[in-house]
């Protein structure tokens, strides 16, 4: 927008002074005046002020193994004050374990057999864990049909024409499944101890709980501490149930927590944060996080190896990709320094215009006080571009 405004201003000023000088002093002087004004006001320095920094910053980030998909997002990242993130496989390390089995009206093996029968077709890491555990115990895997996965909620299939489901308690209740008080109490107890309760139901009745545990990522606590030290507010957006997530967040000292969220719900929560005049960066490590990421001011993929790399022609265009949590701080450090250098570059550009444009306009006078010319205008622009380049090269020291 800035460039377009100056191009319009340049065209108007050039036209006005060329015509004015033509009637006042003739064609030759009019050409010299118009050309001088055009060069002095041409916004090439404004354009180069940002482009030089962006290109050099991208090189710095490439060497730090941070992928940049949108260079323009660097300046927006410098304004971020809230960092939204998921919980599972992000703040936790993604290595799930089956901790407990609580059947209701059946044995533990029967409960696990039902759960594994649903999950035999699952692509989710938890589903694969349940299925492999049942196979390891030599349990029967029943034939099911019409398998469906519901991101951040659970999965279902048909067993003898009856719906067989596994998922978070709230989702099952929304599907009309009845969970008795004994199981509801156990769900609360598991959540308090940081375990994720997955309810298994057959028909309209809950038949038991499979309790999953995911260990905390060793990087997590220091990541949250450094965020707060840098005056960045963490926000936890998760599909986990309220008790589990809030106990986890309390231990991590995260104040903003939103739970029981499907992918579209996460995107809605990001919009709510932005409506509060917060500048939000969403970091995600799962395709279920993409809707929220692309709703945020800044979208960052945390690819710890569990996500398929994005192809160059992908329609999904996040801003950045990092391979570890602490790469975020390297990225932000470069972004802050880039924003600072761009600001100084723009000041140099405006100063050059402020000096040269009046001198160029004075050529319309019969006896201009300063013998200005198009060659001097070119020299002034060239000198300004050199100064901008040298200032931009300072970005290479931003990580020292």
């Amino acid at each position: 927008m800035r460039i377009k405004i100056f191009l319009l201003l340049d065209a108007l000023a050039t036209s006005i002074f060329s015509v004015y000088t033509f009637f006042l002093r003739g064609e030759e002087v009019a050409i010299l005046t118009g050309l001088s004004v055009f060069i002095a006001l041409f916004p090439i320095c404004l354009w180069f002020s940002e482009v030089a920094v962006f290109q050099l910053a991208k090189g710095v980030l490439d060497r730090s193994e941070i992928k940049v998909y949108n260079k323009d997002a660097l300046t927006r990242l410098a304004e971020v004050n809230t960092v939204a993130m998921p919980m599972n496989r992000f703040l936790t390390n993604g290595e799930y374990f089956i901790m407990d089995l609580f059947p209701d009206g059946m044995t533990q093996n029967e409960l696990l057999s039902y759960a594994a029968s649903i999950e035999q077709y699952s692509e989710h890491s938890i589903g694969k864990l349940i299925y492999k555990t049942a196979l390891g115990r030599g349990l029967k895997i029943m034939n099911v049909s019409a398998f469906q996965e519901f991101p951040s909620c659970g999965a279902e299939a048909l067993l003898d024409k009856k719906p067989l489901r596994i998922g978070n308690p709230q989702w099952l209740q929304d599907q009309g499944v009845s969970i008795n008080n004994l199981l509801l109490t156990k769900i609360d107890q598991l959540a308090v101890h940081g375990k994720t309760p997955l309810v298994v139901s057959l028909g309209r009745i809950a038949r038991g709980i499979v309790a999953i545990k995911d260990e905390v990522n060793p990087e997590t606590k220091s990541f949250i501490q450094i965020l707060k030290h840098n005056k960045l507010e963490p926000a936890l957006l998760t599909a986990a149930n309220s008790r589990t997530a809030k106990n986890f967040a309390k231990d991590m000292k995260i104040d903003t927590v939103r739970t029981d969220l499907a992918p579209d719900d996460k995107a809605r929560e990001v919009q709510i944060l932005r409506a509060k005049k917060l500048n939000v960066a969403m970091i995600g490590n799962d395709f279920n996080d993409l809707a929220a990421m692309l709703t945020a001011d800044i979208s960052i993929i945390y690819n710890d190896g569990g996500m398929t790399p994005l192809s160059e022609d992908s329609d999904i265009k996040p801003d950045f990709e990092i391979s570890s949590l602490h790469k975020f701080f390297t990225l932000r450090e470069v972004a802050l320094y880039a924003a600072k250098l761009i600001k100084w570059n723009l000041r140099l550009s405006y100063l050059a215009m402020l000096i040269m444009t009046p001198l160029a306009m004075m050529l319309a006078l019969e006896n201009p006080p300063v013998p200005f010319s198009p060659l001097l205008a070119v020299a002034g622009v060239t000198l300004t571009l050199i100064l901008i380049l040298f200032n931009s090269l300072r970005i290479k020291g931003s990580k020292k």
Side-chain angles (χ1 to χ4, degrees):
M1 177 61 79
R2 181 190 296 115
I3 303 298
K4 290 180 180 178
I5 291 173
F6 271 89
L7 282 173
L8 179 60
L9 181 63
D10 191 14
L12 287 173
T14 301
S15 301
I16 291 169
F17 277 88
S18 296
V19 172
Y20 174 79
T21 309
F22 176 79
F23 286 108
L24 187 69
R25 302 191 57 201
E27 181 180 353
E28 184 177 344
V29 178
I31 292 173
L32 290 176
T33 302
L35 192 55
S36 296
V37 171
F38 177 79
I39 295 170
L41 268 178
F42 192 72
I44 186 171
C45 293
L46 295 178
W47 171 80
F48 192 64
S49 293
E50 297 182 348
V51 169
V53 174
F54 286 153
Q55 292 298 328
L56 291 167
K58 185 178 183 300
V60 172
L61 293 173
D62 284 343
R63 287 190 291 276
S64 299
E65 298 180 340
I66 297 172
K67 295 182 181 178
V68 181
Y69 297 108
N70 179 10
K71 298 187 297 295
D72 295 344
L74 271 173
T75 49
R76 297 202 311 273
L77 179 57
E79 300 171 357
V80 161
N81 52 28
T82 302
V83 179
M85 65 198 80
M87 187 172 83
N88 294 335
R89 284 188 56 249
F90 185 89
L91 297 181
T92 57
N93 64 16
E95 296 180 6
Y96 296 99
F97 304 92
I98 296 178
M99 303 299 294
D100 298 290
L101 295 167
F102 299 98
D104 186 27
M106 61 176 62
T107 66
Q108 287 188 345
N109 282 346
E110 286 173 331
L111 175 64
L112 186 56
S113 178
Y114 275 123
S117 296
I118 308 171
E119 300 288 20
Q120 61 184 298
Y121 302 111
S122 176
E123 293 298 323
H124 194 281
S125 53
I126 293 178
K128 290 179 179 179
L129 166 68
I130 292 171
Y131 177 62
K132 288 179 180 178
T133 302
L135 285 181
R137 295 186 184 185
L139 301 182
K140 179 182 178 182
I141 306 298
M142 293 166 275
N143 291 324
V144 297
S145 60
F147 171 79
Q148 278 188 288
E149 278 188 302
F150 299 88
S152 304
C153 295
E156 71 175 14
L158 291 179
L159 177 64
D160 297 329
K161 298 183 179 180
K162 288 184 179 181
L164 181 62
R165 297 184 176 98
I166 182 170
N168 71 57
Q170 185 60 56
W171 175 67
L172 266 75
Q173 288 178 319
D174 291 343
Q175 303 306 307
V177 173
S178 175
I179 304 175
N180 65 43
N181 290 334
L182 182 62
L183 290 178
L184 288 173
T185 300
K186 182 59 68 175
I187 288 168
D188 285 341
Q189 292 172 348
L190 290 168
V192 167
H193 290 91
K195 299 173 184 177
T196 300
L198 301 176
V199 176
V200 178
S201 69
L202 180 59
R204 298 286 183 179
I205 305 297
R207 306 307 300 269
I209 302 168
V210 179
I212 304 295
K213 178 79 172 179
D214 188 8
E215 297 299 326
V216 175
N217 187 332
E219 289 185 283
T220 296
K221 284 194 175 181
S222 62
F223 176 70
I224 299 299
Q225 289 172 353
I226 298 172
L227 276 180
K228 292 194 168 188
H229 178 74
N230 285 277
K231 298 181 180 179
L232 296 170
E233 183 64 28
L236 183 60
L237 309 180
T238 178
N241 68 74
S242 178
R243 294 293 293 273
T244 300
K246 288 183 177 178
N247 276 282
F248 177 87
K250 183 179 179 181
D251 185 49
M252 293 292 112
K253 296 181 171 55
I254 300 175
D255 298 324
T256 303
V257 186
R258 302 291 183 270
T259 63
D260 299 297
L261 301 177
D264 289 343
D265 296 327
K266 290 183 181 181
R268 186 193 67 243
E269 291 296 334
V270 169
Q271 289 176 328
I272 291 172
L273 291 172
R274 294 183 66 196
K276 295 178 180 178
K277 306 301 182 183
L278 298 174
N279 294 315
V280 181
M282 175 71 194
I283 309 179
N285 66 335
D286 189 279
F287 285 109
N288 291 330
D289 300 324
L290 286 175
M293 290 165 54
L294 299 179
T295 305
D297 297 285
I298 297 294
S299 56
I300 304 172
I301 289 179
Y302 165 40
N303 195 346
D304 57 354
M307 196 172 176
T308 305
L310 296 174
S311 62
E312 292 295 329
D313 58 349
S314 172
D315 292 333
I316 301 165
K317 297 295 181 185
D319 297 316
F320 306 101
E321 182 177 331
I322 57 178
S323 57
S324 72
L325 292 181
H326 284 78
K327 294 281 187 182
F328 170 78
F329 300 110
T330 301
L331 172 60
R332 185 167 183 268
E333 181 183 355
V334 172
L336 288 171
Y337 201 48
K340 180 180 177 181
L341 292 178
I342 288 172
K343 186 180 292 185
W344 278 105
N345 285 348
L346 291 174
R347 288 174 179 173
L348 281 171
S349 300
Y350 290 134
L351 180 61
M353 285 182 176
L354 189 63
I355 293 173
M356 291 191 296
T357 303
L359 295 176
M361 291 176 175
M362 287 181 186
L363 287 176
L365 301 176
E366 190 169 347
N367 293 304
V370 177
F372 201 70
S373 70
L375 287 177
L376 284 176
V378 170
V381 169
T382 302
L383 177 61
T384 305
L385 290 173
I386 291 171
L387 291 174
I388 288 171
L389 177 60
F390 275 104
N391 186 57
S392 301
L393 286 169
R394 295 164 60 195
I395 193 72
K396 293 187 174 182
S398 61
K399 288 173 61 267
K400 292 181 181 180

